[in-house]
Amino acid sequence: MARPRLHDDALRTRLLEVASRMISSDGESAVTVRKVAAEAGTSASAVYALFGSREALVEAVSDEGFRRFAEHLAAVGQGQDPAADLRALGGAYRKFALADPHFYRVMFYRAVAPADGGPADAVDRPTFQVLHDAVARALAGAPPERVLNAAVGLWGLVHGLVSLELAGLLPGDESAREAAFDRAAGTVGPALLAG
């Protein structure tokens, strides 16, 4: 008979959520195994059993953020209209950031390195490649440098708008902020593609 699992995926997720909030609000140095365990309602030994070390836990937070982010982007898919795909990717980016702001902040503001040893250069990440590929479809036949520049520009536009919203700097309720995001992306995005 197999031994029962002492620590399940729900506990792992809870520990990642707690650690992401700590890193997001107080920085990576605020994370200790004991603090995370206590806030998650478990023991330090559970953290070690699931992650192995404090460092691995912190790395796993970044990995989890990028995993969730990739799911949001993958849900967009690829349609017949590359411009519509780009708009949908911008919306998915915003939706992820608003749904998981702690992970978003860890990924983009705390610069916690991923455990997979993935590249530090964000344009080499699979999540950026989704945007790059969508821009390449929209600019079919354009030189690679133009595609990369447009993709980086669009990323900067969406990231900036989302960051302003998360910081509470965009006025209005949720629908007003969403409309402002759509207007800004719809106005500036095509100009970035046009070069």
Side-chain angles (χ1 to χ4, degrees):
M1 177 180 257
R3 286 177 52 187
R5 287 183 62 184
L6 296 175
H7 310 296
D8 61 10
D9 288 338
L11 176 59
R12 184 181 190 283
T13 300
R14 191 165 66 245
L15 289 165
L16 290 172
E17 293 279 347
V18 167
S20 75
R21 284 185 177 86
M22 283 184 186
I23 295 169
S24 176
S25 65
D26 301 321
E28 184 181 335
S29 63
V31 174
T32 68
V33 169
R34 287 181 196 263
K35 280 173 55 177
V36 171
E39 192 167 321
T42 191
S43 65
S45 64
V47 177
Y48 288 117
L50 287 165
F51 297 99
S53 69
R54 175 210 172 271
E55 292 73 23
L57 168 63
V58 170
E59 291 170 350
V61 170
S62 182
D63 289 343
E64 178 67 8
F66 278 104
R67 185 194 67 73
R68 291 179 184 194
F69 185 42
E71 281 182 0
H72 274 80
L73 297 180
V76 170
Q78 182 178 337
Q80 296 297 318
D81 181 356
D85 291 347
L86 285 170
R87 286 189 300 274
L89 282 173
Y93 190 109
R94 179 179 179 269
K95 183 178 176 183
F96 164 75
L98 297 179
D100 284 317
H102 300 291
F103 283 103
Y104 181 84
R105 288 182 184 106
V106 169
M107 293 162 52
F108 293 113
Y109 296 111
R110 296 294 183 186
V112 176
D116 65 6
D121 189 351
V123 299
D124 290 333
R125 288 198 151 281
T127 48
F128 180 80
Q129 195 62 46
V130 171
L131 171 62
H132 183 274
D133 292 349
V135 170
R137 286 191 311 276
L139 299 177
E145 185 175 318
R146 180 167 176 230
V147 171
L148 178 61
N149 289 340
V152 169
L154 289 171
W155 178 29
L157 169 65
V158 171
H159 182 78
L161 290 168
V162 166
S163 296
L164 289 170
E165 185 169 1
L166 286 176
L169 298 174
L170 294 183
D173 62 10
E174 162 59 23
S175 62
R177 291 189 304 271
E178 182 177 14
F181 177 90
D182 291 343
R183 279 192 308 275
T187 302
V188 179
L192 290 168
L193 287 174

